[in-house]
Amino acid sequence: IEAVRAKLAAKHPMAPISLESMDILIGDSQNAQDMHAIASQTRVVASTVGPYSIYGEQLVRACVKEVTDYCDITAEVPWVHDMNRELNDQAVRNNVHIVSLCGFDCIPADLGCLMLAQYSREHIQQPLLHVKGSIVGIRGGVSGGTMATLGNQLGIEAHRLWKGVKAQMSGSSTSMSQPPNGKETNRAVVHYDQTLGRWQGFWVMSMINSMATKWAGRELNYGPGFSYAETMTARNVFMAIAQTLGFVYLAALMFFSATRNLLYMLRAIPRPGEGPSDKFMKSGFFSLHLEAFSETEVFYGKVSGSSDPGYSETIKYLGES
């Protein structure tokens, strides 16, 4: 940690505060007393701990009690719901902001839907009913922490996640009661997108982004029954099927501890704390195409990033959150 601080100080000598004198506070994330001691000494905490359901709960509780604002980059939606149910009322009473899902999952989809909802309200004077997101291009490294979180979530939330996968495969998660302009929005996960002119397959963050955007849509009143669906563009139908089955296969391997440990031994996936090089991260990017539906209109949006989605882009989102 001291080396990171020294590197930051050397890289930003004109920073408005002295980075060299910045305090380093050390504590056990599962020790409530340690977390209260840290939270009481700051105004805002940004957590990148993961898996949050194992290492994150005590810090959130401490921030609420110590009146310290908090944000994180978790994609563990069930954990976010659990923390919300437990701490929301107390956080409101203490005027504390607890903001999760501030990474690549789910900021691009969330802000994209917000942008389209505002446009629909201001320019079309109609509520936003549905948004179809398509990852049309992406390059980024895999985080060891993300893989550890995936293994943990598959272990403790397998039933709920499987229901989400079945909904994606059947297309039920993308349906609307009255498709506008005759546009078909009840799609199976592998389908041909007429707007983009390209095949679509399963996208690993689709369930998380769907839940988060629906939650935001309900709270911010985008429109009655607002829904969001997300897929990933493929070169052809065979690649769409292959990438979909590939995600399912990886999830199956990560579910069992024996196969998960084998993947670590073979260096097929990174361990917690491991990730891509700086050079690789700088070459990253993503582009998310959005197709939006109001009661009578169809319109479009785009959200893109010019660096590694899981690292460089995520840290920008977290810092701005």
Side-chain angles (χ1 to χ4, degrees), residues 108-128:
D110 196 15
L111 288 185
C113 289
L114 175 63
M115 171 184 70
L116 293 169
Q118 291 174 339
Y119 179 88
S120 186
R121 189 180 303 116
E122 295 171 6
H123 297 277
I124 304 177
Q125 285 79 52
Q126 292 181 4
L128 182 66

mmCIF file of all heavy atoms in Angstrom, residues 108-128:
data_model
loop_
_atom_site.group_PDB
_atom_site.id
_atom_site.type_symbol
_atom_site.label_atom_id
_atom_site.label_comp_id
_atom_site.label_asym_id
_atom_site.label_seq_id
_atom_site.Cartn_x
_atom_site.Cartn_y
_atom_site.Cartn_z
ATOM 1 N N PRO A 108 -22.995 1.615 -17.261
ATOM 2 C CA PRO A 108 -23.376 1.913 -18.651
ATOM 3 C C PRO A 108 -24.848 1.641 -18.950
ATOM 4 O O PRO A 108 -25.530 2.481 -19.559
ATOM 5 C CB PRO A 108 -22.456 0.996 -19.462
ATOM 6 C CG PRO A 108 -21.265 0.807 -18.592
ATOM 7 C CD PRO A 108 -21.825 0.717 -17.196
ATOM 8 N N ALA A 109 -25.346 0.487 -18.533
ATOM 9 C CA ALA A 109 -26.751 0.177 -18.770
ATOM 10 C C ALA A 109 -27.666 1.110 -17.984
ATOM 11 O O ALA A 109 -28.675 1.601 -18.501
ATOM 12 C CB ALA A 109 -27.035 -1.281 -18.394
ATOM 13 N N ASP A 110 -27.309 1.375 -16.735
ATOM 14 C CA ASP A 110 -28.132 2.217 -15.865
ATOM 15 C C ASP A 110 -28.215 3.644 -16.396
ATOM 16 O O ASP A 110 -29.305 4.220 -16.531
ATOM 17 C CB ASP A 110 -27.549 2.188 -14.452
ATOM 18 C CG ASP A 110 -28.518 2.701 -13.406
ATOM 19 O OD1 ASP A 110 -29.718 2.819 -13.700
ATOM 20 O OD2 ASP A 110 -28.068 2.974 -12.283
ATOM 21 N N LEU A 111 -27.054 4.243 -16.703
ATOM 22 C CA LEU A 111 -27.054 5.613 -17.215
ATOM 23 C C LEU A 111 -27.665 5.690 -18.611
ATOM 24 O O LEU A 111 -28.318 6.678 -18.964
ATOM 25 C CB LEU A 111 -25.631 6.172 -17.242
ATOM 26 C CG LEU A 111 -25.009 6.512 -15.894
ATOM 27 C CD1 LEU A 111 -23.646 7.170 -16.092
ATOM 28 C CD2 LEU A 111 -25.915 7.441 -15.085
ATOM 29 N N GLY A 112 -27.465 4.627 -19.411
ATOM 30 C CA GLY A 112 -28.077 4.605 -20.731
ATOM 31 C C GLY A 112 -29.594 4.631 -20.652
ATOM 32 O O GLY A 112 -30.259 5.371 -21.387
ATOM 33 N N CYS A 113 -30.157 3.831 -19.764
ATOM 34 C CA CYS A 113 -31.613 3.820 -19.594
ATOM 35 C C CYS A 113 -32.118 5.141 -19.027
ATOM 36 O O CYS A 113 -33.177 5.633 -19.432
ATOM 37 C CB CYS A 113 -32.022 2.662 -18.690
ATOM 38 S SG CYS A 113 -31.844 1.033 -19.460
ATOM 39 N N LEU A 114 -31.377 5.720 -18.088
ATOM 40 C CA LEU A 114 -31.761 7.024 -17.551
ATOM 41 C C LEU A 114 -31.778 8.074 -18.658
ATOM 42 O O LEU A 114 -32.712 8.890 -18.749
ATOM 43 C CB LEU A 114 -30.791 7.436 -16.442
ATOM 44 C CG LEU A 114 -30.990 8.836 -15.859
ATOM 45 C CD1 LEU A 114 -32.352 8.954 -15.179
ATOM 46 C CD2 LEU A 114 -29.866 9.164 -14.869
ATOM 47 N N MET A 115 -30.743 8.093 -19.495
ATOM 48 C CA MET A 115 -30.672 9.019 -20.623
ATOM 49 C C MET A 115 -31.883 8.863 -21.540
ATOM 50 O O MET A 115 -32.519 9.857 -21.942
ATOM 51 C CB MET A 115 -29.382 8.773 -21.406
ATOM 52 C CG MET A 115 -29.274 9.511 -22.713
ATOM 53 S SD MET A 115 -27.769 9.079 -23.636
ATOM 54 C CE MET A 115 -28.146 7.368 -24.127
ATOM 55 N N LEU A 116 -32.235 7.633 -21.869
ATOM 56 C CA LEU A 116 -33.353 7.384 -22.772
ATOM 57 C C LEU A 116 -34.695 7.716 -22.125
ATOM 58 O O LEU A 116 -35.614 8.200 -22.792
ATOM 59 C CB LEU A 116 -33.326 5.934 -23.230
ATOM 60 C CG LEU A 116 -32.127 5.562 -24.117
ATOM 61 C CD1 LEU A 116 -32.039 4.048 -24.286
ATOM 62 C CD2 LEU A 116 -32.220 6.240 -25.466
ATOM 63 N N ALA A 117 -34.811 7.463 -20.812
ATOM 64 C CA ALA A 117 -36.050 7.810 -20.102
ATOM 65 C C ALA A 117 -36.251 9.325 -20.090
ATOM 66 O O ALA A 117 -37.375 9.817 -20.281
ATOM 67 C CB ALA A 117 -36.015 7.264 -18.682
ATOM 68 N N GLN A 118 -35.179 10.063 -19.861
ATOM 69 C CA GLN A 118 -35.269 11.529 -19.877
ATOM 70 C C GLN A 118 -35.627 12.040 -21.268
ATOM 71 O O GLN A 118 -36.450 12.945 -21.420
ATOM 72 C CB GLN A 118 -33.951 12.129 -19.397
ATOM 73 C CG GLN A 118 -33.675 11.890 -17.924
ATOM 74 C CD GLN A 118 -32.297 12.365 -17.497
ATOM 75 O OE1 GLN A 118 -31.386 12.517 -18.321
ATOM 76 N NE2 GLN A 118 -32.123 12.590 -16.210
ATOM 77 N N TYR A 119 -35.011 11.447 -22.294
ATOM 78 C CA TYR A 119 -35.313 11.849 -23.671
ATOM 79 C C TYR A 119 -36.771 11.562 -24.006
ATOM 80 O O TYR A 119 -37.466 12.396 -24.594
ATOM 81 C CB TYR A 119 -34.403 11.101 -24.644
ATOM 82 C CG TYR A 119 -34.674 11.435 -26.090
ATOM 83 C CD1 TYR A 119 -34.048 12.511 -26.701
ATOM 84 C CD2 TYR A 119 -35.561 10.665 -26.850
ATOM 85 C CE1 TYR A 119 -34.298 12.824 -28.029
ATOM 86 C CE2 TYR A 119 -35.830 10.975 -28.176
ATOM 87 C CZ TYR A 119 -35.191 12.051 -28.769
ATOM 88 O OH TYR A 119 -35.454 12.367 -30.077
ATOM 89 N N SER A 120 -37.245 10.377 -23.624
ATOM 90 C CA SER A 120 -38.626 10.009 -23.923
ATOM 91 C C SER A 120 -39.616 10.940 -23.239
ATOM 92 O O SER A 120 -40.629 11.344 -23.819
ATOM 93 C CB SER A 120 -38.876 8.559 -23.479
ATOM 94 O OG SER A 120 -40.154 8.123 -23.869
ATOM 95 N N ARG A 121 -39.279 11.312 -21.994
ATOM 96 C CA ARG A 121 -40.171 12.187 -21.238
ATOM 97 C C ARG A 121 -40.166 13.610 -21.794
ATOM 98 O O ARG A 121 -41.221 14.259 -21.908
ATOM 99 C CB ARG A 121 -39.744 12.181 -19.768
ATOM 100 C CG ARG A 121 -40.719 12.869 -18.826
ATOM 101 C CD ARG A 121 -40.224 12.810 -17.389
ATOM 102 N NE ARG A 121 -39.992 11.443 -16.943
ATOM 103 C CZ ARG A 121 -38.801 10.967 -16.605
ATOM 104 N NH1 ARG A 121 -37.731 11.737 -16.650
ATOM 105 N NH2 ARG A 121 -38.676 9.719 -16.204
ATOM 106 N N GLU A 122 -38.985 14.105 -22.150
ATOM 107 C CA GLU A 122 -38.858 15.510 -22.548
ATOM 108 C C GLU A 122 -39.186 15.767 -24.014
ATOM 109 O O GLU A 122 -39.743 16.810 -24.359
ATOM 110 C CB GLU A 122 -37.426 15.991 -22.266
ATOM 111 C CG GLU A 122 -37.082 16.009 -20.780
ATOM 112 C CD GLU A 122 -35.605 16.263 -20.529
ATOM 113 O OE1 GLU A 122 -34.868 16.534 -21.518
ATOM 114 O OE2 GLU A 122 -35.180 16.186 -19.358
ATOM 115 N N HIS A 123 -38.868 14.819 -24.900
ATOM 116 C CA HIS A 123 -39.016 15.060 -26.330
ATOM 117 C C HIS A 123 -40.180 14.311 -26.969
ATOM 118 O O HIS A 123 -40.695 14.745 -28.000
ATOM 119 C CB HIS A 123 -37.713 14.683 -27.058
ATOM 120 C CG HIS A 123 -36.534 15.516 -26.645
ATOM 121 N ND1 HIS A 123 -36.279 16.762 -27.177
ATOM 122 C CD2 HIS A 123 -35.565 15.292 -25.737
ATOM 123 C CE1 HIS A 123 -35.184 17.269 -26.632
ATOM 124 N NE2 HIS A 123 -34.729 16.397 -25.749
ATOM 125 N N ILE A 124 -40.564 13.184 -26.399
ATOM 126 C CA ILE A 124 -41.667 12.407 -26.958
ATOM 127 C C ILE A 124 -42.915 12.526 -26.098
ATOM 128 O O ILE A 124 -44.020 12.264 -26.547
ATOM 129 C CB ILE A 124 -41.245 10.930 -27.111
ATOM 130 C CG1 ILE A 124 -39.967 10.826 -27.968
ATOM 131 C CG2 ILE A 124 -42.342 10.108 -27.753
ATOM 132 C CD1 ILE A 124 -39.444 9.417 -28.122
ATOM 133 N N GLN A 125 -42.726 12.961 -24.838
ATOM 134 C CA GLN A 125 -43.817 13.079 -23.864
ATOM 135 C C GLN A 125 -44.527 11.747 -23.649
ATOM 136 O O GLN A 125 -45.761 11.677 -23.556
ATOM 137 C CB GLN A 125 -44.837 14.146 -24.286
ATOM 138 C CG GLN A 125 -44.372 15.565 -24.096
ATOM 139 C CD GLN A 125 -43.435 16.036 -25.211
ATOM 140 O OE1 GLN A 125 -43.779 15.907 -26.383
ATOM 141 N NE2 GLN A 125 -42.285 16.582 -24.862
ATOM 142 N N GLN A 126 -43.733 10.671 -23.598
ATOM 143 C CA GLN A 126 -44.264 9.344 -23.346
ATOM 144 C C GLN A 126 -43.352 8.613 -22.366
ATOM 145 O O GLN A 126 -42.150 8.877 -22.317
ATOM 146 C CB GLN A 126 -44.359 8.537 -24.650
ATOM 147 C CG GLN A 126 -45.382 9.048 -25.635
ATOM 148 C CD GLN A 126 -45.433 8.194 -26.888
ATOM 149 O OE1 GLN A 126 -44.746 7.173 -26.998
ATOM 150 N NE2 GLN A 126 -46.262 8.606 -27.847
ATOM 151 N N PRO A 127 -43.921 7.692 -21.589
ATOM 152 C CA PRO A 127 -43.068 6.907 -20.685
ATOM 153 C C PRO A 127 -42.204 5.921 -21.465
ATOM 154 O O PRO A 127 -42.548 5.510 -22.579
ATOM 155 C CB PRO A 127 -44.087 6.175 -19.803
ATOM 156 C CG PRO A 127 -45.315 6.087 -20.642
ATOM 157 C CD PRO A 127 -45.352 7.343 -21.462
ATOM 158 N N LEU A 128 -41.085 5.556 -20.877
ATOM 159 C CA LEU A 128 -40.195 4.549 -21.464
ATOM 160 C C LEU A 128 -40.652 3.176 -21.001
ATOM 161 O O LEU A 128 -40.783 2.931 -19.800
ATOM 162 C CB LEU A 128 -38.755 4.815 -21.030
ATOM 163 C CG LEU A 128 -37.682 3.880 -21.595
ATOM 164 C CD1 LEU A 128 -37.561 4.052 -23.107
ATOM 165 C CD2 LEU A 128 -36.334 4.148 -20.926
#
